[in-house]
Amino acid sequence: DAEAPNDGRLAALRLLAPGWKPEWTPVVTDLLEQPGEDLRATAADVLAARARRNDPVCAGVLLKTLGDGDARVRMAVAAALARLEIDGGSDALVNALTLEEIGLPAVRDAFVRSLAAFGAQGMDRLLSAAESGVRRQAERAVAVAAVVKPYVDSGRLFALATTGTERWEQLTSVPTVSESGVPELKGY
């Protein structure tokens, strides 16, 4: 009942879980869109434990709810995506990890654990995202060097050191940290 207080719906949901019937899936997925963090997180937990694998009724709502503002709901949804092997679930988790600023380590950990539960597919997606992130950082560093180099070469900007183990080919006049007299920072 949509008008029932959350406590009543939460209690009913917990009572229904052990005697699960597949026709209850749409009702429980509707609860994912209702107010109340406990209600939404419990609905995701019940779906993870009881719904059919890759259930199309669950898929869309779970993928949408992954962007929920409540950390507990997001962690429960991440687990449900993996447990139900929802098509597109691993991609959604990787996108959330790489495109959003996820401040809570527990949420990041839950997303990575869920990706691991997807098996090779989830880990491949995560590694691809990491590789592309490293590539983007390298591209940014090269772009920064291109902007900074004329200022360093003209003496208008003094570069103290680079953090690599060797001089940077874009800024060969700039020593490494180790060459500057701080060998314990070598390679940072």
Side-chain angles (χ1 to χ4, degrees), residues 31-103:
L31 295 176
L32 287 169
E33 298 178 322
Q34 299 299 315
E37 179 182 357
D38 287 341
L39 182 65
R40 292 192 316 280
T42 302
D45 290 340
V46 168
L47 287 171
R50 304 293 181 190
R52 288 175 299 157
R53 296 208 185 280
N54 204 21
D55 186 317
V57 175
C58 295
V61 178
L62 285 169
L63 290 168
K64 176 181 167 192
T65 308
L66 186 62
D68 194 287
D70 293 314
R72 186 165 158 248
V73 175
R74 294 185 85 184
M75 292 187 299
V77 167
L81 287 170
R83 168 84 172 63
L84 298 175
E85 298 173 0
I86 298 294
D87 285 342
S90 61
D91 290 331
L93 287 164
V94 167
N95 287 340
L97 279 168
T98 57
L99 300 176
E100 296 178 29
E101 181 61 39
I102 298 177

Side-chain angles (χ1 to χ4, degrees), residues 6-29:
N6 277 351
D7 290 347
R9 288 188 280 180
L10 190 55
L13 183 58
R14 289 182 177 140
L15 287 173
L16 290 175
W20 183 262
K21 295 181 182 174
E23 58 268 18
W24 294 343
T25 300
V27 174
V28 178
T29 56

Side-chain angles (χ1 to χ4, degrees), residues 149 152-153 162 167-176 179:
K149 184 174 176 30
V152 171
D153 290 346
T162 61
R167 289 189 181 216
W168 202 13
E169 67 183 54
Q170 291 88 347
L171 296 169
T172 55
S173 64
V174 179
T176 66
E179 291 173 333

